[in-house]
Amino acid sequence: DVKVTQSSRYLVKRTGEKVFLECVQDMDHENMFWYRQDPGLGLRLIYFSYDVKMKEKGDIPEGYSVSREKKERFSLILESASTNQTSMYLCASSLYGVEQYFGPGTRLTVT
Amino acid sequence: GEDVEQSLFLSVREGDSSVINCTYTDSSSTYLYWYKQEPGAGLQLLTYIFSNMDMKQDQRLTVLLNKKDKHLSLRIADTQTGDSAIYFCAEKSPDSNYQLIWGAGTKLIIKP
């Protein structure tokens, strides 16, 4: 079974803090994704990576950066957290880009 | 433009069939998906259909694809309380090998 894990289920941070969200997958998948999920808006792609050290912007990259130093790990970084980044963050991975496997999500609150 | 649309809520009685509908805009889509998100959890792939198919059945789930109308539906027979979840429709982006285009999700509410 594919397993995608995220470092925290719940996180509370203050405005202006630097925030790291970590995602690890154990199936040697090439592709990894970071989404945010907001009610009524569905999933919006922040960044994705199709190989180590390779990344591409998704639909809403502003205010975020990513890092993929190892194949199994994909990190999402909020350089200076703001209240409008309060959301559910979902990480996913895929092998051939068809079926995506998701982690349980991190609910981030920025106060 | 690329857009996937679905209703935000659907309420059905336990034991009835649920039909969740989705429309998409890109006629060249090759794969269409249904994902399920249970409360407090990530998304899980339920089923998918290739664009050269009209129907796919898997136990209580039936997926119907109408390519002419760009309409996808998910029917859940004999709906149970465990089916309470948000159901997301998604299509493979024609512009990318990696990306999916997501609907906003339909929350399925089961009435006893």
Side-chain angles (χ1 to χ4, degrees):
Chain A
D1 269 357
V2 177
K3 193 162 184 186
V4 180
T5 56
Q6 296 184 226
S7 50
S8 306
R9 292 298 304 271
Y10 301 93
L11 212 50
V12 180
K13 295 290 182 182
R14 293 197 182 276
T15 302
E17 279 193 83
K18 191 169 185 174
V19 182
F20 292 87
L21 302 182
E22 301 256 301
C23 175
V24 177
Q25 50 95 2
D26 67 357
M27 284 301 290
D28 205 34
H29 282 176
E30 304 290 334
N31 310 308
M32 296 188 75
F33 307 82
W34 274 107
Y35 295 92
R36 65 177 280 176
Q37 181 183 12
D38 299 288
L41 297 178
L43 272 68
R44 292 181 291 168
L45 183 66
I46 305 171
Y47 268 97
F48 72 98
S49 168
Y50 52 89
D51 202 350
V52 175
K53 296 192 189 295
M54 305 302 288
K55 61 186 179 186
E56 287 209 14
K57 293 179 181 179
D59 300 318
I60 51 162
E62 295 78 19
Y64 303 95
S65 62
V66 289
S67 172
R68 188 143 180 226
E69 296 296 319
K70 293 185 178 180
K71 193 174 187 180
E72 66 271 18
R73 189 179 297 268
F74 192 35
S75 302
L76 179 70
I77 303 150
L78 287 66
E79 294 291 341
S80 177
S82 63
T83 54
N84 64 11
Q85 292 178 310
T86 290
S87 188
M88 170 72 90
Y89 289 88
L90 293 168
C91 175
S93 72
S94 73
L95 183 56
Y96 300 118
V98 175
E99 179 177 351
Q100 294 186 13
Y101 295 84
F102 283 81
T106 297
R107 187 167 291 283
L108 173 67
T109 302
V110 183
T111 62
Chain B
E2 301 173 339
D3 204 6
V4 175
E5 294 187 354
Q6 16 177 170
S7 302
L8 291 183
F9 297 97
L10 175 67
S11 179
V12 298
R13 291 204 178 279
E14 190 175 358
D16 287 352
S17 291
S18 306
V19 180
I20 303 170
N21 294 302
C22 169
T23 57
Y24 60 98
T25 55
D26 200 304
S27 57
S28 63
S29 288
T30 53
Y31 292 87
L32 294 135
Y33 305 83
W34 284 106
Y35 278 79
K36 177 182 180 183
Q37 184 182 34
E38 294 181 354
L43 278 70
Q44 179 183 14
L45 180 67
L46 263 186
T47 186
Y48 64 92
I49 188 167
F50 294 114
S51 57
N52 63 356
M53 298 169 66
D54 296 324
M55 186 180 90
K56 182 178 180 182
Q57 187 152 5
D58 182 4
Q59 298 183 331
R60 292 192 297 122
L61 303 179
T62 304
V63 177
L64 295 177
L65 176 60
N66 180 329
K67 289 183 284 293
K68 176 175 166 290
D69 294 337
K70 296 176 194 164
H71 184 265
L72 183 73
S73 68
L74 174 70
R75 179 177 180 269
I76 305 172
D78 186 24
T79 308
Q80 303 297 307
T81 54
D83 296 323
S84 293
I86 301 175
Y87 290 83
F88 290 89
C89 171
E91 61 173 333
K92 183 180 175 301
S93 171
D95 301 325
S96 168
N97 286 330
Y98 316 105
Q99 293 190 58
L100 300 181
I101 304 166
W102 295 87
T106 299
K107 185 168 185 176
L108 179 61
I109 299 162
I110 314 300
K111 296 181 288 190

